[in-house]
Amino acid sequence: DQQVKQNSPSLSVQEGRISILNCDYTNSMFDYFLWYKKYPAEGPTFLISISSIKDKNEDGRFTVFLNKSAKHLSLHIVPSQPGDSAVYFCAASYNFNKFYFGSGTKLNVKP
Amino acid sequence: DGGITQSPKYLFRKEGQNVTLSCEQNLNHDAMYWYRQDPGQGLRLIYYSQIVNDFQKGDIAEGYSVSREKKESFPLTVTSAQKNPTAFYLCASSIVQNSNEQFFGPGTRLTVL
C-alpha cells in the first residue's frame, strides 16, 4: 500500500521552460514533505522541503506547492536546465518519524 | 570531507549466501537508515537506528539483519531468507531521528546469481 505516489514515471521539458513534477499522498497525518534529486548510480540528495503549515516554499529556481485538501504537492523548476535531468523523489513523514518515498519521476530537460 | 560511504558499489553473490553491505558515516549523525530501491518503486525502509545498540524494523525487514555497535557504522546483512535480494540498497543518516533531512550514501547494487 503505497502512501506516496508519483504517477508520472517520466517527464520531458525543453530547456528554459517550466518543469512541474507531481506527487499525491494518502495519509492525512503527514506533516512534512521533501523532494530529493537522484542521478544514476548515486544516492538521492535533498532538494527542498515544506511543512504542512505552509502551502509554498521557494528556493531559487525550485518551488514546492502543497495542497493539503487535495493531498497533493508539486515541484516547479523554472527555468529548467539540462543539469536538472535526474530522477526526482517526493517523500513524506509525520512527526519526523519514518519517511515514505514515491516511486520517482525521471525528468529529461532537452537543450 | 564529511559524508556517507557505502561499499562496495557493485556486489555479486550466489543464491543462498549471506552478504553484508557496509555503511559508514563521519557526520556524527545519531540516526541511520537502510532503504531498498527496486525498478518503478520508491525507496522502502528496511531498518533504522536512532542510537547505538538500538534499531527498529522498517516496512520490509524480513530476510535482513543489522547491527549498530558504533555510531558511525550501520552494516546490513542480506540473509538467505530474503526471497528477492537483488536490488539497489541505500544507506542514509540524519542528525537525530526527528530531522527534516536525510543524507544518502551512493548506494550498493547487489545482484544475486
Side-chain angles (χ1 to χ4, degrees):
Chain A
D1 181 28
Q2 218 170 345
Q3 299 191 50
V4 178
K5 296 180 183 179
Q6 293 177 258
N7 292 319
S8 297
S10 64
L11 175 68
S12 189
V13 171
Q14 202 67 37
E15 181 179 5
R17 298 290 188 97
I18 184 172
S19 295
I20 300 176
L21 295 94
N22 294 304
C23 180
D24 296 294
Y25 62 95
T26 57
N27 191 338
S28 58
M29 296 290 290
F30 287 144
D31 57 10
Y32 208 87
F33 305 88
L34 308 92
W35 283 94
Y36 283 84
K37 177 178 179 180
K38 183 182 182 298
Y39 292 114
E42 293 183 11
T45 54
F46 172 75
L47 194 57
I48 192 169
S49 63
I50 187 167
S51 164
S52 60
I53 61 173
K54 292 185 174 183
D55 54 19
K56 178 183 174 181
N57 188 26
E58 196 170 348
D59 184 3
R61 297 186 296 115
F62 303 91
T63 303
V64 56
F65 294 92
L66 176 62
N67 182 335
K68 288 189 290 293
S69 60
K71 295 191 181 69
H72 177 84
L73 69 156
S74 61
L75 174 68
H76 292 211
I77 307 174
V78 182
S80 301
Q81 299 173 353
D84 296 328
S85 297
V87 177
Y88 290 79
F89 290 96
C90 67
S93 70
Y94 53 90
N95 203 24
F96 294 121
N97 206 334
K98 297 185 296 183
F99 288 81
Y100 295 84
F101 286 81
S103 54
T105 296
K106 185 175 184 179
L107 174 65
N108 179 32
V109 180
K110 296 177 287 187
Chain B
D1 283 2
I4 303 177
T5 56
Q6 290 184 247
S7 60
K9 199 172 183 69
Y10 299 95
L11 189 56
F12 296 88
R13 279 295 182 269
K14 291 183 179 178
E15 193 173 345
Q17 287 182 333
N18 291 357
V19 59
T20 297
L21 281 62
S22 165
C23 178
E24 305 279 331
Q25 54 99 358
N26 60 4
L27 300 166
N28 200 31
H29 285 174
D30 297 305
M32 296 186 75
Y33 311 79
W34 273 105
Y35 292 90
R36 169 183 172 139
Q37 186 189 8
D38 294 284
Q41 297 197 41
L43 281 62
R44 292 184 291 166
L45 183 64
I46 304 173
Y47 268 98
Y48 62 104
S49 168
Q50 304 173 56
I51 196 170
V52 174
N53 291 324
D54 185 54
F55 47 82
Q56 288 80 39
K57 292 182 179 179
D59 299 315
I60 55 165
E62 186 176 350
Y64 299 97
S65 66
V66 293
S67 62
R68 187 88 187 275
E69 297 177 3
K70 299 186 296 182
K71 187 175 186 178
E72 56 271 21
S73 178
F74 191 40
L76 172 75
T77 297
V78 185
T79 75
S80 57
Q82 169 49 236
K83 300 301 180 192
N84 187 17
T86 295
F88 187 56
Y89 291 87
L90 285 160
C91 179
S93 70
S94 61
I95 298 172
V96 291
Q97 191 196 21
N98 295 351
S99 170
N100 61 357
E101 182 182 345
Q102 295 183 345
F103 294 82
F104 284 85
T108 292
R109 180 163 296 282
L110 171 66
T111 301
V112 176
L113 306 170

